[in-house]
Amino acid sequence: MGSPVVLGIESSCDETGAGLVRDGQLLGQAVASSMDEHARFGGVVPEIAARAHVSSLTPVVSRALAEAGLRMKDIDAVAVTTGPGLSGALQVGLAGAKGLAYALGVPLHGVHHLAGHVAADTLEHGPLPDPCVVLIVSGGHTSLLLVRDLARDPILHLGDTLDDAAGECFDKVARAFGLPYPGGPAIDRAARTGDPGAVAFPRPLTGPGDAPYAFSFSGLKTAAARWAEQHRIRGARLPLADGAAALQESVADVLTRKAVAACGAYGVGTLVVVGGVAANSRVRALAGERCRAAGITLRVPPLRLCTDNGAMIAAVGDLLVRAGARPAPLDVSVDPSAPLEYAALHPVARDTTGTAGHPDPVAGSARR
């Protein structure tokens, strides 16, 4: 009998994703996005997202299977995002995953969405070094993590965002600049012809007395929005390219400065940058420059694996299956605000302690 094939399902926000992974190798994946339906509202509308998942889930799974050259009966385990994310969207993915797992008679594994982003890099570059520093930058999350064995060990948070995440900052400033949603790609495009030194935007929490690995982008967001508003009040043309380039430079500077410093402080030789904002051209370039200068190995997934996708959830499921992790209980539910503690996330609706999502993630003896 060959190695198990794991189907991963992602539905935490506005992308419906399915992926198939075996032994750390991506066999096939498909993604359907409802982004265009949300753009006119300037952000994701939860009800629209949930309805889009309902109509997209089955076709996405079928497309992933077709790309992999597999049939439904070839699936040996199902992994699904159980949090964090939009409650209705998560429920759609979980319901579909439960139905498939039950019909196929295979185990179901609940996965933390952010652990999926971490595991996405393994599909391109192989197993994660133990330990490594991971910088997660997305629409709702900015965190610096110390990761050991992703399937077995707790994940240590070195620092998290105190207010707006980097992706939120891009989205909100893009609106102030008159750019479309989503803001990250729009800012990146506008910045191509701009001068990053044209506007002196702040670098939040980078002073000598500040928390070394925490992030705060609310003040930067406000500074950029006020800069744009001052131009409008004066009736002056907004130097959009310069503003976008300066904003992008500030975000990239803060992110990479703290990440490289964390590697040095913890004696770690590999930095992994993941999440939607990892697709930003300046973040990738500056991370490369600073890692080379510090003698640190940089790993960043390809663009198709940076944004939400089912392949990353399948990657976590594959790691859990190979580690002998316990499957999710039959009454596994979702946790829209789940903290990242372990890669496996098995919340149940009746739990009120906040601890049911992380009970002994791996069967057998604990890792020593």
Side-chain angles (χ1 to χ4, degrees), residues 272-351:
V272 184
V273 183
V274 299
V277 180
N280 179 271
S281 62
R282 186 54 184 154
V283 170
R284 295 169 83 95
L286 191 55
E289 293 171 17
R290 287 182 165 168
C291 283
R292 282 191 296 273
I296 295 168
T297 299
L298 174 66
R299 293 176 36 156
V300 187
L303 298 182
R304 74 183 190 284
L305 295 176
C306 286
T307 52
D308 293 351
N309 60 85
M312 69 186 197
I313 304 304
V316 177
D318 175 63
L319 291 173
L320 293 172
V321 168
R322 287 190 280 148
R326 296 184 180 92
L330 293 176
D331 57 350
V332 65
S333 185
V334 301
D335 185 348
S337 57
L340 177 58
E341 298 172 355
Y342 287 93
L345 178 64
H346 296 164
V348 291
R350 67 173 181 271
D351 179 68

Side-chain angles (χ1 to χ4, degrees), residues 45-275:
V45 180
E47 180 64 22
I48 292 175
R51 289 177 181 272
H53 290 308
V54 170
S55 61
S56 298
L57 185 58
T58 298
V60 161
V61 171
S62 297
R63 283 164 44 204
L65 284 166
E67 182 177 291
L70 298 173
R71 291 176 291 179
M72 198 73 75
K73 68 177 184 178
D74 297 319
I75 296 170
D76 299 298
V78 178
V80 62
T81 304
T82 48
L86 303 174
S87 179
L90 289 167
Q91 292 284 4
V92 174
L94 178 58
K98 280 185 174 182
L100 284 171
Y102 179 80
L104 296 170
V106 300
L108 174 70
H109 293 270
V111 171
H112 196 289
H113 175 78
L114 297 183
H117 278 302
V118 177
D121 183 72
T122 67
L123 299 175
E124 182 71 13
H125 300 119
L128 294 171
D130 178 0
C132 61
V133 169
V134 177
L135 172 65
I136 295 181
V137 274
S138 66
H141 304 274
T142 302
S143 297
L144 265 175
L145 313 170
L146 185 66
V147 175
R148 298 189 66 86
D149 187 320
L150 187 62
R152 293 180 170 88
D153 292 337
I155 295 166
L156 175 63
H157 287 245
L158 305 180
D160 298 284
T161 186
L162 304 178
D163 41 55
D164 285 0
E168 289 178 285
C169 177
F170 280 145
D171 284 340
K172 292 173 181 178
V173 174
R175 182 182 298 182
F177 283 6
L179 293 171
Y181 177 86
I187 292 286
D188 204 350
R189 288 191 298 269
R192 291 173 186 167
T193 58
D195 176 6
V199 187
F201 286 141
R203 267 57 170 173
L205 291 185
T206 54
D210 292 323
Y213 310 124
F215 300 94
S216 169
F217 292 103
S218 179
L220 173 60
K221 170 201 68 180
T222 301
R226 286 179 176 170
W227 174 80
E229 184 62 22
Q230 288 169 0
H231 282 78
R232 294 191 181 96
I233 290 172
R234 298 196 306 266
R237 182 187 66 83
L238 183 69
L240 178 60
D242 287 347
L247 174 74
Q248 187 170 259
E249 188 68 20
S250 179
V251 171
D253 181 19
V254 172
L255 291 173
T256 59
R257 187 189 308 190
K258 288 176 177 275
V260 170
C263 289
Y266 285 84
V268 173
T270 300
L271 171 65
V272 184
V273 183
V274 299

